[in-house]
């Protein structure tokens, strides 16, 4: 059984330079009443859930480590921005959102949640 995810793409900026990242390289953006984090690491954009899956720490208050992981400010749990895997060994997964830089702007995809997609 193949699971093709469907995304609704949301334009968040006309270009990367328009995004006002904090000194830690992370910004919060609200899309469709959902607040997410966008990180700029080595000139690559990544997007993830706003809260740590362990204890709900606000990831925008954390930092990006030397290997490009986002680190929670509460307990220092580390997550890959490429796949959401917890790299510090605790076994949690962070929700990751696809990012596309197009000619007409920066877009983030939110998975469409509807019964029709779920039944496929």
């Amino acid at each position: 059984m193949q699971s093709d995810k469907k995304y609704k793409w949301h334009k968040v900026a006309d270009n990367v330079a328009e995004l006002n990242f904090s000194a830690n390289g992370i910004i919060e953006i609200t899309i469709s009443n959902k607040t997410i984090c966008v990180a700029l690491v080595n000139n690559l954009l990544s997007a993830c859930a706003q809260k740590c899956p362990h204890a709900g720490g606000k990831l925008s208050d954390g930092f990006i480590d030397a290997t490009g992981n986002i680190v929670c400010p509460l307990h220092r749990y580390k997550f890959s921005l490429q796949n959401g895997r917890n790299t510090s060994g605790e076994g949690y997964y962070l929700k990751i959102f696809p990012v596309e830089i197009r000619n007409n702007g920066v877009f983030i995809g939110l998975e469409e949640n509807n019964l029709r997609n779920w039944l496929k």
Side-chain angles (χ1 to χ4, degrees):
M1 183 165 106
Q2 186 177 354
S3 167
D4 293 337
K5 292 183 179 181
K6 305 275 186 202
Y7 294 99
K8 182 172 183 181
W9 293 92
H10 301 268
K11 185 174 181 179
V12 296
D14 288 328
N15 55 58
V16 176
E18 191 177 277
L19 298 170
N20 295 318
F21 290 97
S22 303
N24 64 0
I26 306 168
I27 187 175
E28 282 188 0
I29 295 177
T30 301
I31 304 170
S32 295
N33 296 322
K34 178 187 272 304
T35 303
I36 63 172
C37 289
V38 178
L40 181 62
V41 182
N42 298 323
N43 294 319
L44 295 174
L45 285 180
S46 300
C48 65
Q50 173 201 29
K51 293 184 179 181
C52 177
H54 167 246
K58 192 173 174 184
L59 292 172
S60 61
D61 290 340
F63 61 95
I64 306 297
D65 71 8
T67 58
N69 296 308
I70 193 165
V71 182
C72 178
L74 293 182
H75 300 105
R76 305 286 191 238
Y77 285 20
K78 299 177 183 183
F79 298 90
S80 166
L81 287 168
Q82 284 72 47
N83 58 27
R85 288 190 177 155
N86 173 235
T87 62
S88 47
E90 294 82 15
Y92 293 95
Y93 283 90
L94 179 65
K95 177 74 175 168
I96 299 295
F97 303 98
V99 178
E100 290 185 0
I101 300 173
R102 304 177 187 169
N103 290 337
N104 60 338
V106 178
F107 291 81
I108 296 176
L110 297 184
E111 194 172 342
E112 292 181 349
N113 290 329
N114 64 44
L115 185 58
R116 184 176 169 189
N117 287 342
W118 181 75
L119 291 173
K120 288 185 179 178

